[in-house]
Amino acid sequence: MEAYELGAIVPNLKPLKLSPNATEADHDAAMRPLGTFNECMTGLLRFEGQSPWERHPQDELLMVLDGAVELTLLADDGRHVTESLGKDSVAVVPSGVWHRQHARAGVTLFFVTASGEDDVSWADDPRSADDPA
């Protein structure tokens, strides 16, 4: 077992300004992996701006530790469902659902997500890149 003092870790995370031009080093400086839980990665992430669309093969858990974020899910019928999450809010994104986040003034998240099997898209509609075959 390993215990973490989140209050000591968060100040050391460099806020990531999300964009298609952000480097792997930028991402690494903004994220701190904490370990695995049921074969999923857990960690902390600090960022501002709008993320790309992403989807995972398993449910994803997000908890806002500081700041606020708008979480948008793309429903099967094409609707965008947006939920505003503030400090101490928790959301579960269902597996296979395209979603993105927008943190206007910055957010720090604790997350639990599947490792290595993500789909990511900067397209306006990520489904346009899906191969139906």
Side-chain angles (χ1 to χ4, degrees), residues 35-128:
T36 59
F37 176 78
N38 289 338
E39 300 179 20
C40 291
M41 178 173 61
T42 67
L44 301 173
L45 177 62
R46 196 171 184 190
F47 69 91
E48 66 180 58
Q50 184 165 279
S51 72
W53 290 103
E54 60 181 27
R55 66 179 172 182
H56 314 286
Q58 295 177 311
D59 294 349
E60 178 178 43
L61 177 102
L62 302 170
M63 179 178 181
V64 177
L65 300 178
D66 190 40
V69 67
E70 291 179 353
L71 175 63
T72 301
L73 282 66
L74 184 56
D76 288 339
D77 63 5
R79 289 179 302 119
H80 290 72
V81 179
T82 301
E83 184 73 31
S84 294
L85 305 173
K87 184 177 178 183
D88 298 330
S89 295
V90 175
V92 176
V93 178
S95 65
V97 174
W98 283 106
H99 60 284
R100 68 180 174 192
Q101 301 166 63
H102 189 191
R104 295 180 198 286
V107 68
T108 303
L109 297 175
F110 169 78
F111 63 87
V112 179
T113 191
S115 299
E117 299 293 326
D118 302 338
D119 292 320
V120 177
S121 174
W122 285 98
D124 290 335
D125 184 344
R127 296 167 303 166
S128 64

